[in-house]
Amino acid sequence: MQPTIIAFGASSSRSSINKIFASYTAQLFEAAAVKILDLNDFHAPLYSIDVEQETGIPADVKTFSRYLDSADLIIISLAEHNGSYSAYFKNLLDWTSRYKSKLFDNKKMLLLSTSSGGRGGKSVMEAALVRFPIHGADIVAHFSLPKFQENFDARQGGVVAEDLKQEYEAAVQTTKSALQQ
């Protein structure tokens, strides 16, 4: 049976480099059915317990959760805003965890991050590596790509800096192997 991959950039930017990176990476899994999500399709008010008690869980949060449930593998590329998750993604994460606390449901995950800066989103990656397993993520590999505009070109095979390319390809290969188990 063909595995299902859900992939997205954890940003609401229409030109998100993280969505580009997650989409590119997902396409490397040739034998899988891939669904790329755009977080802008999932609307929810700013989370508060008062809003939840007054209106319940938003329908788009339930839809997002169903997408996660359908996956054999989740690929997320994290955008870093001031050293943490983007506000849009954090809000969706908050709502979804209220709907289903183990929102990643022991799904295998390839966790990516990238930015235009020299750390490549390492601070948000560190936060996710701690937080996501609490919500049931089975993170099989992770990779941070610094200086996206300099180090990534889809027409040139993706990650172009040789040292980073080897590390990236190893993370993808580890994930492919885990997906076959």
Side-chain angles (χ1 to χ4, degrees), residues 88-159:
Y88 198 96
F89 175 68
K90 178 66 167 75
N91 189 54
L92 186 58
L93 182 69
D94 289 345
W95 273 109
T96 308
S97 71
R98 292 294 295 176
Y99 180 62
K100 181 178 181 182
S101 102
K102 299 287 186 187
L103 63 117
F104 296 122
D105 199 23
N106 298 312
K107 304 291 183 176
K108 290 176 177 40
M109 182 180 289
L110 172 56
L111 197 53
L112 307 169
S113 65
T114 191
S115 72
S116 56
R119 289 183 31 87
K122 284 191 177 187
S123 294
V124 70
M125 176 66 75
E126 291 166 359
L129 289 171
V130 171
R131 185 80 222 161
F132 286 11
I134 294 168
H135 292 291
D138 176 9
I139 302 170
V140 296
H142 67 278
F143 174 77
S144 294
L145 179 65
K147 300 181 180 179
F148 181 81
Q149 290 78 359
E150 294 175 31
N151 290 319
F152 184 86
D153 187 335
R155 295 166 293 162
Q156 299 292 322
V159 176

Side-chain angles (χ1 to χ4, degrees), residues 53-91:
Q53 290 172 347
E54 291 168 11
T55 63
I57 304 293
D60 283 352
V61 170
K62 293 175 183 178
T63 300
F64 180 73
S65 181
R66 283 192 295 273
Y67 276 117
L68 297 180
D69 288 345
S70 74
D72 297 301
L73 172 67
I74 301 169
I75 298 174
I76 303 173
S77 187
L78 298 161
E80 184 174 285
H81 292 187
N82 294 317
S84 191
Y85 309 112
S86 72
Y88 198 96
F89 175 68
K90 178 66 167 75
N91 189 54

